[in-house]
Amino acid sequence: MVFDLDLIKKVYAAMPEKVAEARKLVGRPLTLAEKILYSHLFVPTEKAHERGVDYVDFTPDRVAMQDATAQMALLQFMTCGRAKVAVPSTVHCDHLIQAKTGAQEDLKTANEVNKEVYEFLASISNKYGIGFWKPGAGIIHQVVLENYAFPGGMMIGTDSHTPNAGGLGMIAIGVGGADAVDVMAGLPWELKMPKLIGVKLTGKMSGWTSSKDVILKVAGILTVKGGTGAIVEYFGEGADSLSATGKATICNMGAEIGATCSLFAYDEKMAAYLTATGREEVAYAATQIKEYLRPDEEIYTDPAKYYDQVIEINLDELEPYVNGPFTPDLAWPISKFAEAVKANDWPARLEVALIGSCTNSSYEDISRSASLAKQAVDKKLKAKAEFTITPGSEVVRFTIEKDGFLDTFYKIGGVVLANACGPCIGQWARHIDDPKRKNSIITSFNRNFAKRNDGLASTHAFVASPEIVTAFAIAGDLTFNPLKDKLKNEEGKEVMLDEPTGVELPPKGFSVEDAGYAAPAADGSGVVVKVADDSQRLQLLAPFAAWEGTDLKGLKLLIKAKGKCTTDHISMAGPWLKFRGHLDNISNNMLIGAVNFFNDETDKVKNVLTGEYGPVPATQRAYKAAGIGSVVVGDENYGEGSSREHAAMEPRHLGVRAIVVRSFARIHETNLKKQGMLALTFANKEDYDKVQEDDSIDFVGLASFAPGKPLTMVLNHKNGSKDEITLNHTYNKQQIEWFKAGGALNVIRSQFAKK
């Protein structure tokens, strides 16, 4: 089944003319990202847009939502007055399935525990014309790659790893739910024109090295914020040599460097994948306009002239990498990893190895890992660490079972989990004797922040390719180097693992009995959306209050967050996922993972009304009850990680008025603006140090709030002294209107009310 073929043909029919017009406007050859961006403008432009400066309105082709974020996105969409979504949209049930014992039991439990949420998502999808992928169908990004992604297209998704679709040459960007509402309502979607980072890949990979190692190395080069505000475009002979799913792996984990998205040019590998997944017509149509789905030839000749930054990686020389612990940009080539483990006193004994997830669950990934598992069987080795396999979709799972890979994994003690996110997002009921004991795990996932996988601060999580993870599972030792070290088998003989082998696409084709898709009703006007009045998991939304029209004075400091503060710290996943559709209940996890600068503890802040220390949410609720607003102060790259807008909605709901930080991650800054919050940065980053625990805080200059004009924060200290701090912002006129109205949704609602 080919979804949206008419839409795709329409995009392709218009692209040559739009690219030609863009080339004239810009006055030079175009990168692929520029071709796609300019061909998706909401309205034609008469001037070239300046990268990193101009806010631009775009018209994405589609929207994708995973179940955890879809709840809040669709609760917001319900209120905006539309009878049906304006663009093709889908919901994917992948986040709420907890990994505990194995695929069948875990899926059965999820269907029972999450029954009301699944019924809500199914009914609201049915009402508004949204495609629904049932629990067990697979992880959103793998399902999108198999069914919806197309070269030259543009989509947004309510998950930070939406850029996975860049593996098929699509600009695919992770956003908050309010952004998705804009697009589903048929309104323009706003994005600051991204800068462009070019990554030139030369040579060709072989042996133990895989596509995952490309992004692990890039993460080490650019760090977790080096890609902020930029599209990363991969090009060169090395890029064309990678499989489409390998390309997707690289684009997926580009979220870990803060990139807006990542992108590869259309080539034969993409055509082969489209054909293998039943989309020959899309491959044919794309091939007809291939020159518009690749950078202009001049880009290859002198890339530094066209990209804001260029990185070059020779795949002939690339080593396998292991990144971590606690951050995805701490990059170690395998030749230096054992030394790092010893030098840093990280637990060398590996307790759990996990492969799969949205990042690395392709047929190619599984086949290469299975080749190592087969070697282990043949060489009389067993996995010395727990070993789990998470298929990315039912299509992949069915096919790898049919081709015998699952049986191979079972023979070395592997456990197959449900086609869902599971341990990658903290949905893991891990078995461990002492939760406080330092321990190590390794995954082929994308994130490894503290507590990310199992909720345990003591867990040292490392990230590598599926084949390296499998080798470590067999060895059970992080000081093992599979490229040169031997292992002792059950007979006491020393054996060595050979290089992994695999195939990009199944020789006998993909197969599936039930992919898990439910099409929406042709007319959903009579469909009733299911939300129980007494539900503890779903809550209809009330509009946030508009700005009072005055400066904000007498605010209290809620927390001054120290160091890394990701969206996991602000709004944890794991057990809290069950409240993603209930704003008040999930607000009880607000900032409980953030480290308080003044005592180096989590979830323990001073309540200035009582002088006592207590949990962050309870303290904020006390301020709200007293009619007092508050301020959160943060460090660099605040809001790094997931796209979850709950991290912005919870502070808004509980009465936080402003977030002031050294710097923001892109998606989180946008989410705060969408919810009518003040998202501000220190003009002088050292002013972070001037914020004191007992400060009374004023924000001055809001009456003349304007683009490019700084605001002032006055810190009234307990001793009677004060500091006036200059704060910068990136608000444009439209975003200032969101602030004044109390949120973007209030603006949308008023617009539709006038029609």
Side-chain angles (χ1 to χ4, degrees):
M1 178 180 180
V2 182
F3 291 94
D4 311 316
L5 185 59
D6 288 343
L7 179 150
I8 296 169
K9 287 181 175 178
K10 185 178 177 182
V11 170
Y12 287 172
M15 202 163 185
E17 184 180 346
K18 289 182 176 181
V19 169
E21 290 172 357
R23 205 179 278 119
K24 284 181 189 175
L25 273 176
V26 176
R28 57 167 172 75
L30 299 176
T31 65
L32 174 58
E34 289 173 317
K35 290 180 179 182
I36 300 174
L37 290 169
Y38 277 99
S39 63
H40 282 84
L41 295 177
F42 193 78
V43 292
T45 181
E46 295 181 357
K47 70 177 187 70
H49 294 296
E50 187 176 350
R51 297 179 196 163
V53 175
D54 293 342
Y55 281 95
V56 184
D57 286 340
F58 293 100
T59 175
D61 301 308
R62 64 176 310 107
V63 173
M65 297 165 279
Q66 41 94 336
D67 51 357
T69 52
Q71 294 172 63
M72 197 59 69
L74 293 175
L75 285 165
Q76 292 178 86
F77 181 77
M78 279 179 71
T79 71
C80 78
R82 289 286 307 218
K84 191 174 183 179
V85 291
V87 301
S89 303
T90 52
V91 166
H92 304 259
C93 296
D94 62 356
H95 272 56
L96 301 179
I97 302 169
Q98 187 184 52
K100 189 172 184 179
T101 58
Q104 289 187 332
E105 279 301 310
D106 293 346
L107 182 58
K108 181 183 176 184
T109 300
N111 276 311
E112 294 169 356
V113 171
N114 304 312
K115 185 173 184 288
E116 68 170 314
V117 174
Y118 293 149
E119 287 182 348
F120 162 72
L121 290 172
S123 64
I124 198 168
S125 296
N126 205 22
K127 183 174 184 65
Y128 292 111
I130 298 168
F132 183 71
W133 290 84
K134 294 177 281 189
I139 305 172
I140 177 172
H141 312 303
Q142 180 66 25
V143 174
V144 165
L145 198 73
E146 291 170 356
N147 295 277
Y148 299 112
F150 66 94
M154 184 181 199
M155 70 173 282
I156 62 169
T158 59
D159 189 281
S160 57
H161 293 104
T162 299
N164 190 80
L168 276 179
M170 191 175 205
I171 281 187
I173 301 174
V175 299
D179 279 5
V181 171
D182 283 348
V183 179
M184 290 190 292
L187 298 173
W189 176 64
E190 182 187 74
L191 178 73
K192 185 178 283 187
M193 195 68 171
K195 293 184 177 181
L196 298 177
I197 297 174
V199 180
K200 182 179 181 180
L201 301 180
T202 62
K204 190 173 183 179
M205 288 186 305
S206 62
W208 283 90
T209 307
S210 74
S211 295
K212 183 65 165 272
D213 300 307
V214 175
I215 186 58
L216 294 176
K217 182 176 178 67
V218 169
I221 295 169
L222 288 175
T223 77
V224 290
K225 62 177 185 173
T228 303
I231 290 178
V232 181
E233 186 169 311
Y234 293 82
F235 64 97
E237 61 178 1
D240 289 342
S241 73
L242 304 176
S243 67
T245 51
K247 292 175 169 75
T249 291
I250 293 168
C251 293
N252 176 294
M253 202 175 157
E256 272 46 78
I257 57 173
T260 301
C261 67
S262 300
L263 189 63
F264 281 83
Y266 180 65
D267 59 14
E268 292 178 2
K269 298 287 190 178
M270 292 187 192
Y273 183 77
L274 287 166
T275 300
T277 50
R279 292 173 285 172
E280 299 94 332
E281 292 162 291
V282 178
Y284 176 79
T287 301
Q288 301 312 298
I289 62 159
K290 186 174 181 178
E291 65 182 286
Y292 299 100
L293 302 176
R294 294 181 65 83
D296 287 337
E297 283 301 319
E298 294 89 340
I299 306 297
Y300 293 99
T301 307
D302 189 5
K305 192 174 175 182
Y306 304 101
Y307 296 104
D308 297 289
Q309 180 181 354
V310 176
I311 296 167
E312 187 166 338
I313 297 173
N314 185 344
L315 300 182
D316 289 333
E317 301 171 355
L318 183 65
E319 277 190 73
Y321 270 75
V322 181
N323 287 24
F326 307 127
T327 184
D329 59 353
L330 189 58
W332 304 99
I334 193 72
S335 58
K336 296 181 180 177
F337 182 58
E339 180 185 325
V341 171
K342 295 170 186 172
N344 291 284
D345 194 29
W346 298 327
R349 183 171 77 87
L350 180 66
E351 302 201 11
V352 194
L354 308 97
I355 65 168
S357 85
C358 68
T359 320
N360 278 108
S361 57
S362 67
Y363 187 90
E364 179 182 27
D365 289 327
I366 300 298
S367 70
R368 284 172 63 84
S369 291
S371 76
L372 292 169
K374 186 176 187 308
Q375 283 187 55
V377 173
D378 293 344
K379 296 180 180 184
K380 296 183 169 48
L381 294 165
K382 278 271 175 77
K384 291 186 178 177
E386 286 185 45
F387 184 42
T388 70
I389 302 94
T390 304
S393 71
E394 177 58 13
V395 169
V396 168
R397 189 211 63 79
F398 192 95
T399 306
I400 61 176
E401 181 177 47
K402 176 191 71 174
D403 290 355
F405 296 151
L406 294 187
D407 280 341
T408 303
F409 289 133
Y410 293 144
K411 288 175 182 175
I412 65 166
V415 175
V416 177
L417 302 177
N419 313 324
C421 299
C424 184
I425 59 160
Q427 282 283 54
W428 184 19
R430 186 179 169 194
H431 317 287
I432 187 169
D433 55 354
D434 179 5
K436 294 182 180 179
R437 174 174 55 77
K438 280 174 62 175
N439 70 96
S440 289
I441 67 172
I442 190 166
T443 80
S444 71
F445 305 162
N446 41 44
R447 287 202 178 126
N448 62 339
F449 306 138
K451 302 184 182 181
R452 168 76 180 185
N453 303 120
D454 59 8
L456 305 179
S458 54
T459 296
H460 294 57
F462 299 88
V463 178
S465 68
E467 42 271 73
I468 291 294
V469 171
T470 304
F472 276 128
I474 295 165
D477 181 358
L478 290 179
T479 64
F480 170 70
N481 181 347
L483 280 70
K484 66 181 185 67
D485 295 342
K486 293 181 178 179
L487 294 169
K488 193 169 283 187
N489 69 8
E490 294 171 351
E491 297 175 347
K493 296 178 181 177
E494 285 196 333
V495 296
M496 194 167 177
L497 294 173
D498 302 321
E499 293 175 349
T501 58
V503 290
E504 293 178 13
L505 296 166
K508 300 175 186 176
F510 285 108
S511 305
V512 71
E513 287 181 352
D514 178 10
Y517 176 69
D523 178 6
S525 58
V527 176
V528 177
V529 177
K530 297 181 180 180
V531 179
D533 292 337
D534 60 350
S535 174
Q536 292 301 301
R537 297 195 60 179
L538 296 162
Q539 179 186 49
L540 297 178
L541 295 174
F544 290 132
W547 171 56
E548 305 89 328
T550 62
D551 287 340
L552 303 179
K553 296 190 175 182
L555 307 181
K556 304 303 179 187
L557 177 70
L558 176 61
I559 187 171
K560 180 176 175 179
K562 179 181 178 181
K564 188 182 283 287
C565 190
T566 72
T567 48
D568 280 88
H569 295 88
I570 304 167
S571 176
M572 286 184 180
W576 291 95
L577 282 170
K578 63 178 175 283
F579 297 125
R580 282 286 179 87
H582 197 295
L583 182 55
D584 194 57
N585 282 348
I586 199 169
S587 293
N588 288 322
N589 79 358
M590 184 187 72
L591 285 157
I592 62 175
V595 176
N596 183 357
F597 177 90
F598 298 105
N599 57 16
D600 283 329
E601 295 191 58
T602 58
D603 202 24
K604 190 174 183 181
V605 295
K606 185 175 184 179
N607 180 335
V608 296
L609 300 178
T610 64
E612 297 176 352
Y613 286 82
V616 183
T619 303
Q620 181 54 38
R621 287 186 186 276
Y623 292 160
K624 183 178 182 180
I628 298 169
S630 67
V631 181
V632 171
V633 172
D635 215 319
E636 295 281 9
N637 207 32
Y638 183 88
E640 169 192 342
S642 167
S643 70
R644 68 192 66 157
E645 66 183 339
H646 299 76
M649 294 186 78
E650 292 173 32
R652 181 73 167 100
H653 172 65
L654 292 184
V656 176
R657 301 303 300 270
I659 312 290
V660 182
V661 301
R662 283 178 161 149
S663 66
F664 281 108
R666 176 191 64 84
I667 300 176
H668 187 62
E669 181 181 20
T670 300
N671 285 345
L672 290 167
K673 291 177 180 180
K674 285 278 185 178
Q675 301 304 332
M677 293 278 283
L678 285 174
L680 309 167
T681 56
F682 292 103
N684 178 0
K685 292 187 177 186
E686 284 67 40
D687 284 343
Y688 167 91
D689 299 320
K690 294 179 180 177
V691 179
Q692 298 177 20
E693 193 170 33
D694 295 301
D695 284 347
S696 178
I697 302 171
D698 305 330
F699 288 89
V700 179
L702 290 174
S704 57
F705 193 6
K709 184 179 179 181
L711 295 171
T712 300
M713 177 172 70
V714 181
L715 302 175
N716 300 289
H717 303 307
K718 191 175 182 180
N719 63 6
S721 66
K722 64 173 60 179
D723 279 301
E724 290 195 1
I725 307 294
T726 300
L727 301 176
N728 292 334
H729 65 83
T730 60
Y731 287 77
N732 60 23
K733 286 184 180 180
Q734 176 64 62
Q735 294 166 347
I736 291 171
E737 289 307 308
W738 298 342
F739 166 73
K740 291 178 177 178
L745 197 57
N746 291 348
V747 175
I748 294 173
R749 197 178 293 112
S750 65
Q751 287 173 347
F752 280 112
K754 293 173 185 174
K755 293 183 178 180

